[in-house]
Amino acid sequence: MPAPEQSKAPALADVTRGRILFGGDYNPEQWPEETWPEDVRLMKDAGVNSVTLGVFSWAKLEPRPGERDFGWLDRLMDLMHDNGIGVVLATPTSSPPPWLGRLHPETLPRDEDGRTEWWGGRQHFSHSSAAYRSWAAAITEDLAARYADHPALTLWHINNEYCTYDWGDEAAARFRDWLRERYGSLDVLNSAWGTAFWSQGYGDWAEALPPRHAHYLKNPTQVLDFKRFTSDMLLECYVAERDIVRRHTPHIPVTTNFMPLWAGQDAWRWAGEEDVVSADLYPDPRDPFGAQHAALVQDMTRSQARGPWMLMEQAAGPVNWRGVNHPKPRGLNRLWSLQAVARGADAVCYFQWRQSRQGAEKFHSGMVSHAGEEGRTFQEVKRLGAELAAIGSAVTDSHLTADIAVLHDWHSWWAGAHEGRLSTRVDYTDVLTSWHRALWRSHLTTDFAHPEHDLSPYKLVVVPQLYALTDTAIDNLFSYVRDGGTLVCGFLTGVADQDDRVRPGGMDPRLRELFGIHTLHEWWPLDEGEWAETDRFRGTLWSEEIEAAGGVTAEATYNGGELDGLPAVLRNGCAWYVSTLPEPDALRALLARIAADAGARPVLDGLPDQVEAVRRGDLLFLLHHGRESVTVKLPGTHHDLLTGAAVADELTLGRYGVAVLRS
Amino acid sequence: MPAPEQSKAPALADVTRGRILFGGDYNPEQWPEETWPEDVRLMKDAGVNSVTLGVFSWAKLEPRPGERDFGWLDRLMDLMHDNGIGVVLATPTSSPPPWLGRLHPETLPRDEDGRTEWWGGRQHFSHSSAAYRSWAAAITEDLAARYADHPALTLWHINNEYCTYDWGDEAAARFRDWLRERYGSLDVLNSAWGTAFWSQGYGDWAEALPPRHAHYLKNPTQVLDFKRFTSDMLLECYVAERDIVRRHTPHIPVTTNFMPLWAGQDAWRWAGEEDVVSADLYPDPRDPFGAQHAALVQDMTRSQARGPWMLMEQAAGPVNWRGVNHPKPRGLNRLWSLQAVARGADAVCYFQWRQSRQGAEKFHSGMVSHAGEEGRTFQEVKRLGAELAAIGSAVTDSHLTADIAVLHDWHSWWAGAHEGRLSTRVDYTDVLTSWHRALWRSHLTTDFAHPEHDLSPYKLVVVPQLYALTDTAIDNLFSYVRDGGTLVCGFLTGVADQDDRVRPGGMDPRLRELFGIHTLHEWWPLDEGEWAETDRFRGTLWSEEIEAAGGVTAEATYNGGELDGLPAVLRNGCAWYVSTLPEPDALRALLARIAADAGARPVLDGLPDQVEAVRRGDLLFLLHHGRESVTVKLPGTHHDLLTGAAVADELTLGRYGVAVLRS
Amino acid sequence: MPAPEQSKAPALADVTRGRILFGGDYNPEQWPEETWPEDVRLMKDAGVNSVTLGVFSWAKLEPRPGERDFGWLDRLMDLMHDNGIGVVLATPTSSPPPWLGRLHPETLPRDEDGRTEWWGGRQHFSHSSAAYRSWAAAITEDLAARYADHPALTLWHINNEYCTYDWGDEAAARFRDWLRERYGSLDVLNSAWGTAFWSQGYGDWAEALPPRHAHYLKNPTQVLDFKRFTSDMLLECYVAERDIVRRHTPHIPVTTNFMPLWAGQDAWRWAGEEDVVSADLYPDPRDPFGAQHAALVQDMTRSQARGPWMLMEQAAGPVNWRGVNHPKPRGLNRLWSLQAVARGADAVCYFQWRQSRQGAEKFHSGMVSHAGEEGRTFQEVKRLGAELAAIGSAVTDSHLTADIAVLHDWHSWWAGAHEGRLSTRVDYTDVLTSWHRALWRSHLTTDFAHPEHDLSPYKLVVVPQLYALTDTAIDNLFSYVRDGGTLVCGFLTGVADQDDRVRPGGMDPRLRELFGIHTLHEWWPLDEGEWAETDRFRGTLWSEEIEAAGGVTAEATYNGGELDGLPAVLRNGCAWYVSTLPEPDALRALLARIAADAGARPVLDGLPDQVEAVRRGDLLFLLHHGRESVTVKLPGTHHDLLTGAAVADELTLGRYGVAVLRS
């Protein structure tokens, strides 16, 4: 079959067509078929217009090797279509049936201790297994062929939450291929890995291994490359399936769902291989900064998508994988769903439609909980469905703009996480979250960007921590500042190159020059409960013994202790360096000041602390994260799309209240 | 040899014959034979009338495969008999000799990670190993044949503390047999395990495995069935040996010793296979509720025995398996021993007679400690022996009666413990203990019962938590209340069926009807340190968002927070539902009130807090768990069997004081 | 080649020749060769006179099996010699190249769970592997042959920080050989291991195994013997390489570097096989008792060396293996280096010269840090080098004398650490440290000694805890007291014999007689946060229920609780027994009093708390561990070798100040 001619790549807008997608994973194969009409009735009642089918259906579709049972799925696809509900169709390759592990034990991953991951849970497949890939391709091929022309099909969902590692023998062979591809020669590998240290010189490719259990600290670059390799192998799995479905349906977009800020995938690279970027998002209802965590993931996903994105999974109530799993209080599901829309989502979907009665996730909530139609959960879902329908045409396919970019890079994260670092208290995602939180609390809208991206659209570039930076990235930062941009960097930035080789002086010399650091004498990590006092604030987690270059301003100075009198925050023109983690209020004030100097403005002035404001397209979203009513000053007249009411000069938001305003 | 005719099943009374059994595990093979006469002298001095021989003697009896060395045991049996001491003779199959593991490596268990359990400790046998079972049967056969007619033999003790798991290949094969037996067809298994979830459909029996290490949450019903299987396999091991010794000695009763409230055995089922029910009991001397823990185990063991039972092991002083192992303060060994008698024990035995000088338990106490005859420990043992002798004829073979039954079931415990539950803070034994403690502190005597037992003898049935209930059990509870019984249930009861399938509405509809629950909207587990306030008390651990049916009384109502105004305790006639765990004093008051309404009375009114009172037969035991003297009001005149003194109207008990009174 | 005639064994003095060795591990193979001249320039600037080459150079020297590449090392040796820097040449056998593990997988150790230790870290060799030993011998042979006559060679450094365990099959075979050698017959082994307990009788040598993962507590003597075996196997590896280099260079001394107070090696025995005793030392800069920890290790190393010793490794700044790794504040490196010299070191060396840019330890400091020549770290190193040069001729090869011996024995430590002990809170090194700290804080100089050493040189012998003692050791203590010595012992001393067999009465009868203990009724371990009050002090960790013999003095008596009125500290003439761990100030006062009674005097009277005083040869070292200036009264006139100044009657020491005085 000749490849069909391809015009424009399909996109999320082809799926939404002016409606916010609303729905979720639908696993009716877990229920008697008599339940299906009841499901459809409730879906229509709730305004569901999209369901995801088939995520974990491999054993159902292929109950024995090579057999096919599509009948039940045919009926479901027809049923959905007949009721005007679009289908996100998943390849079922995330969890192979038991027969695959039995037939091909080598498809089961091994961990670094050599333990096998058996079937009985999920995702027990090795990304490196030729057998797995071959069986996965076969079922994907047949699935795509069968439903290519089905009118219910709107979007392909490849696999699910790619997240597996493998230290086994087949993975080792693939790792060697990957290394050979990356380095070309063993000399280059030996240099990159620094194998002169601890007698690790490789004389034969066959000696290279995944970083398995070792007596003491492992080679950091071997570990780093293994993470790169893992992301790449998973991506190969994705691409292989994507290419199959794309061949059958070039007009149907393809996605796979990311886990929120998950360490295992370089999502910048992955996003480039998707038509639609989608993510799962499960903030803890008890986390006082759950909304900010959500905003961070939403900002990052939107930045990866470079526009509207899809919230593929969230929970209508509790999850079941925390120690204690709390339900969502009344109104929170609505609030957080609308927050996602505010931050660029054109789809609000759940895991899952109907809460399971059996299996490992039967205490994970669904849109229809165990309590059923009368349960509070479904009643709230229903209300939300109506509201999303009301605002859909006004919001879909519209964009956000941000003056600020926060830089993030998986490779730097991976490199910085080595077990042999100076402080295990320094956790990259904690630092990233702290900085994003400071900006979020200042009502500043932020994108995320890769350190090699074009930064010129931004007035301010924020680097919470980028331990490892390529030369290109350093050039990029340098040019950005040279061309008038404002840059603020946190500690442990620019320490290493892409091979995790420490740069001369412990921090790249050009960066030191940029910030006015003459000598970085010593890093002074801080203990739990330890503070570094400055004349402006208290620092936590880290401090540094820095000798500033002449003429460079210390914007804050350490006070007392071994670092007394040394600079804590350096400013060299528009380049700022923050050598500690200021306490939350101090970091907020510092970044707000730098942003203001750079000309980056909050969405609204004078907002109450618990109210989040986001502009998307021509709409202003106000999201109240508190339980007590607040009043927001809002000059001029607006129209609230949710209530239909006019809003003049001020607006009162009740518990978890939301307004979607057009001026 | 034709099987001897069997009349009545032998029982504990055949062993006690009016004396409380007093003694313990005797391991003289660890000592030079010259020590034996000294042991006998001290045993007689202490009133020891029963010793357990041979518990870990396999390597001694069979030093090399197939060899036999019974000489030393012959001499011991004779020595005991010559000195009037009965022998509880153990089959030595709990710890195979090193040669078995070397000859048959497949007898060594594998854990879920694939690790082998090697010899060098104890209990390194797979319950599923045909080789193990065959060698165990052979030594049991010869042991039984040799001592069948020995006059010292009073009781058979099979193996010791059965407690091993195995995830290995032979266990997998046996597990498949067990599943085939249970389910008949794969369709039934797939339905019971809910394998439609996460693509776990089994197409061939050979695919079924023990729940080995997995990538993420395991299938809950697979895990549940594996626990059932483990209990059943261990029981098969027990039954096989029991049948051998019973064939040789139909008149000698058989037991195996349970560990206190241990998760691995369905002791209701096991007890039915024993002539004598025996248990080991090791409360922590530092546990302020050690006595209540003991009472719980004693009540449960007595309920399993349906009458007198045997305390097979306790410690005269410290054990050596806690982090910090405290000795028993002066008097505590006596107090806790007499408590066991009060609650139905007709045997007070120890691990072990003489404290070991070598091996892994040399810091576990013995009746004769390292300090020897002059040591405080032995001196206290000696005093206790005399007292037990004094009360033996009055107490043995007499029964307790209780108006209250606490329901307990292993299968429900197993099902409720799945890793994917809503709160890992909910621990079944903690909840069970909290409820039993509330009753114990109210001086209410309780039996334990299985949820399918006949409950009609009881005025009150208490269900601390039965997450999974069969239809039969639910019918049983329903009938019990319909027939006038009072029932009080704690949260997370009736959630699932026997396959761990969540019942409609999140709780069985008949139970909801019984308690007057219209809708169970959401479970609200509580964090560590979090409270749910009500108008009556503070709840801990759990709370629920319940909508009561019309006309049903809320006996307590949540106050503040998300559940404000919703019922915390529901009463529907004689059926009570408690949706949280009230703080200890509140739970005590609540249960005392419900018990009083139901007509269940404390043993004595007006008892001081630290005094426990138990009626056994026509005797009243008073046990003082405090260190300061207290006075107990006791109308009428009693006779104290321990002191011989008459007691009129009141009695003063000193530190750890005990009185055994006849009125 | 005939072995050269050997006169006197070579010693450290042959290397130092009046200079304190100053330098460290030098790994220039990690840097481009252009860096070497710069290294030499900085070394000379800093007064470096000794570097260690080749510690982890195996893969560099033998990049493929059997190949040799000595060229780079030739150049280095020449370079060092040309610049007057001596070379400590290491055999590179600590970390085999990847090819060895690939060629001989059996050289990779297995842990007790069966996990392989793979290459990718370091020290992934099995001490028991014949293949490893053979390849290690070959490269050692060639290395020794090549550099035997090189004028730069001053000292052989065998391997590095021997510290590996192996539970695998080849180790099992060697363990069986070792056991056969130790016990001769299985009967003796069965008796020593107490295998009558838990059916562990061995009927064939082939059944004996390393103590692998077991179901429950392992056999304590099997575990103990496995530790002995491990120390012995590692020693065999050392001796094999030592004998090779000694054959080539009988005039060059040999050492291997111990880790500080490491559990795995019986260093008393090892020291006897070395010409020079060397140790690594890494106190935590944040530990308020880091200096005392250092003093302990220094005292112990000096005692093993019976004279001057070598500080082989320390850190100029932070290490990278703690959770949080702090740099050394200004002056601390100097202070702790001079402390080592005060306590007998004739060499002050570092890991490593130049901080790595790559590999697992790139955040471990070097003498030249990432900050380079201008960095504070190197500037302080340089100052120290000059000072060491100034005092070298006055101090090297001089000795310390001590009136007090603290007894320490690895076998006792190993035996006492069994998992089945009464309190896991009792940690041998903590107890040892507490007692040494009390003496150190009293300014009392102490040696360490083995319990079988000649103790007659000492006025006071201190036994913090020796759980297991041989008969010979007990005789030794007994004779020591009989001959007029003063002995003070802490709890858990003399409990077991060399096979970990509990001695009669729970403590050796002769020891009980010595201290006046009639009966040791029970041990009473104390919980975290629990105290045992006495009339003199508060005890922690442990207490005992002791009945004293008639006429023996209780120097402290328990007060309240179960032990009320019983002796806490017993004195019987010059023999003291301390049955608890007194709080730090109380232990200090108690030991100071006993020492004074015994005639052991502090180095100086009236010293401020933070000032440490040590006499070495005719020099008095004063070391101030505080940050605020203090004044020390010092009758008479002294000359400070560091400043050249005269000191009359008193001396003021600033932050971390040091004086090296001659009177």
Side-chain angles (χ1 to χ4, degrees), chain B residues 568-630:
Chain B
V569 177
L570 275 177
R571 176 183 194 166
N572 189 20
C574 288
W576 295 70
Y577 182 72
V578 186
S579 71
T580 182
L581 183 68
E583 283 194 289
D585 287 346
L587 185 59
R588 177 186 179 176
L590 178 67
L591 294 184
R593 176 186 153 206
I594 296 173
D597 288 356
R601 304 277 316 140
V603 176
L604 278 182
D605 284 321
L607 276 173
D609 259 13
Q610 291 187 292
V611 175
E612 176 180 359
V614 189
R615 289 194 194 280
R616 181 177 176 190
D618 62 350
L619 301 180
L620 173 65
F621 284 73
L622 293 178
L623 304 138
H624 177 35
H625 298 290
R627 303 191 186 198
E628 307 302 325
S629 289
V630 291

Side-chain angles (χ1 to χ4, degrees), chain B residues 195-491:
Chain B
T195 59
F197 190 76
W198 284 358
S199 185
Q200 299 177 349
Y202 291 86
D204 187 316
W205 286 103
E207 294 156 15
L209 280 183
R212 295 176 178 166
H213 172 64
H215 178 80
Y216 188 44
L217 307 173
K218 296 176 187 176
N219 182 299
T221 315
Q222 182 188 10
V223 172
L224 170 60
D225 275 349
F226 184 69
K227 290 175 179 170
R228 288 171 168 145
F229 159 77
T230 298
S231 176
D232 285 358
M233 284 303 100
L234 292 171
L235 185 59
E236 277 189 15
C237 291
Y238 163 78
V239 165
E241 296 187 20
R242 180 202 64 189
D243 288 351
I244 292 169
V245 302
R246 190 174 274 176
R247 184 158 40 76
H248 286 277
T249 57
H251 58 292
I252 298 287
V254 185
T255 191
T256 185
N257 53 336
F258 294 151
M259 285 193 287
L261 197 54
W262 186 63
Q265 289 162 304
D266 173 1
W268 292 120
R269 184 161 175 214
W270 279 65
E273 302 286 346
E274 296 184 286
D275 300 315
V276 169
V277 176
S278 64
D280 301 345
L281 184 48
Y282 292 102
D284 187 344
R286 281 298 173 88
D287 179 357
F289 282 101
Q292 180 261 322
H293 168 72
L296 186 159
V297 173
Q298 292 158 2
D299 290 346
M300 191 173 289
T301 309
R302 184 188 67 247
S303 302
Q304 287 154 2
R306 298 176 178 268
W309 56 282
M310 181 169 186
L311 177 54
M312 182 66 87
E313 291 185 17
Q314 64 172 341
V319 297
N320 73 326
W321 41 264
R322 294 193 171 97
V324 179
N325 298 282
H326 300 282
K328 285 186 168 162
R330 187 178 298 273
L332 192 63
N333 177 27
R334 171 182 180 258
L335 173 66
W336 286 0
S337 296
L338 289 165
Q339 181 196 27
V341 175
R343 292 189 176 271
D346 275 2
V348 172
C349 300
Y350 294 83
F351 176 82
Q352 61 177 335
W353 166 249
R354 188 183 278 279
Q355 187 166 9
S356 294
R357 285 191 308 172
Q358 292 183 277
E361 295 192 325
K362 61 183 171 294
F363 292 116
H364 187 296
S365 58
M367 299 167 79
V368 183
S369 73
H370 291 312
E373 182 174 1
E374 294 187 17
R376 172 172 67 81
T377 299
F378 180 72
Q379 292 302 317
E380 294 194 49
V381 160
K382 196 168 131 180
R383 175 184 169 197
L384 175 63
E387 292 187 326
L388 293 176
I391 64 172
S393 63
V395 73
T396 49
D397 215 24
S398 63
H399 286 243
L400 280 84
T401 54
D403 291 332
I404 302 176
V406 178
L407 303 195
H408 164 67
D409 174 38
W410 268 266
H411 298 251
S412 175
W413 177 4
W414 293 334
H418 188 254
E419 52 183 335
R421 65 194 188 276
L422 280 184
S423 172
T424 53
R425 296 188 63 236
V426 175
D427 177 273
Y428 174 78
T429 59
D430 285 352
V431 173
L432 186 72
T433 296
S434 295
W435 284 66
H436 182 273
R437 182 171 298 165
L439 295 161
W440 181 82
R441 290 177 62 208
S442 301
H443 310 292
L444 291 161
T445 304
T446 57
D447 281 348
F448 279 86
H450 184 275
E452 295 182 2
H453 281 172
D454 174 17
L455 303 174
S456 61
Y458 299 105
K459 292 177 178 162
L460 172 62
V461 167
V462 173
V463 179
Q465 182 170 98
L466 286 171
Y467 162 83
L469 284 171
T470 61
D471 291 346
T472 309
I474 291 171
D475 290 344
N476 197 36
L477 295 180
F478 213 85
S479 315
Y480 172 73
V481 175
R482 187 197 53 209
D483 296 345
T486 297
L487 173 69
V488 52
C489 282
F491 61 86

Side-chain angles (χ1 to χ4, degrees), chain C residues 329-396:
Chain C
R330 187 178 297 273
L332 192 63
N333 178 27
R334 171 182 180 257
L335 173 67
W336 285 0
S337 296
L338 288 164
Q339 182 196 26
V341 175
R343 291 191 177 270
D346 275 2
V348 171
C349 300
Y350 293 83
F351 176 83
Q352 61 178 336
W353 165 249
R354 187 183 278 279
Q355 187 166 9
S356 294
R357 284 192 308 173
Q358 292 183 276
E361 295 192 324
K362 61 182 172 293
F363 293 116
H364 188 295
S365 58
M367 299 167 79
V368 182
S369 72
H370 290 313
E373 182 174 1
E374 295 186 17
R376 170 171 69 80
T377 299
F378 180 72
Q379 291 303 317
E380 293 194 50
V381 160
K382 196 168 130 181
R383 176 184 170 196
L384 175 62
E387 292 187 326
L388 293 177
I391 64 172
S393 63
V395 73
T396 50

Side-chain angles (χ1 to χ4, degrees), chain A residues 30 59 95 115-116 118-122 286 320-321 323 325-326 357-358 362 370 374 376-377 627 655, chain B residues 113 191-192 197 199-200 207 213 215-216 219 420 422 424 500 502 505 518 521-522 525 527 530 545 562:
Chain A
Q30 296 171 24
S95 279
R115 289 190 306 174
T116 300
W118 294 88
W119 62 90
R122 69 181 201 189
R286 282 298 174 87
N320 74 325
W321 41 263
N325 298 282
H326 299 282
R357 285 191 308 173
Q358 292 183 278
K362 60 182 171 294
H370 291 313
E374 295 186 17
R376 171 171 69 81
T377 300
R627 304 191 186 197
R655 165 187 165 131
Chain B
D113 292 339
S191 165
F197 190 76
S199 185
Q200 299 177 349
E207 294 156 15
H213 172 64
H215 178 80
Y216 188 44
N219 182 299
L422 280 184
T424 53
D500 194 12
V502 175
H518 181 266
H521 286 287
E522 292 286 351
D527 279 328
E530 187 186 356
E545 186 175 347
E562 292 292 326

Side-chain angles (χ1 to χ4, degrees), chain B residues 510-525:
Chain B
R510 279 166 304 165
L511 285 183
R512 279 191 279 125
E513 182 198 330
L514 192 62
F515 298 121
I517 297 171
H518 181 266
T519 306
L520 174 45
H521 286 287
E522 292 286 351
W523 291 292
W524 287 80

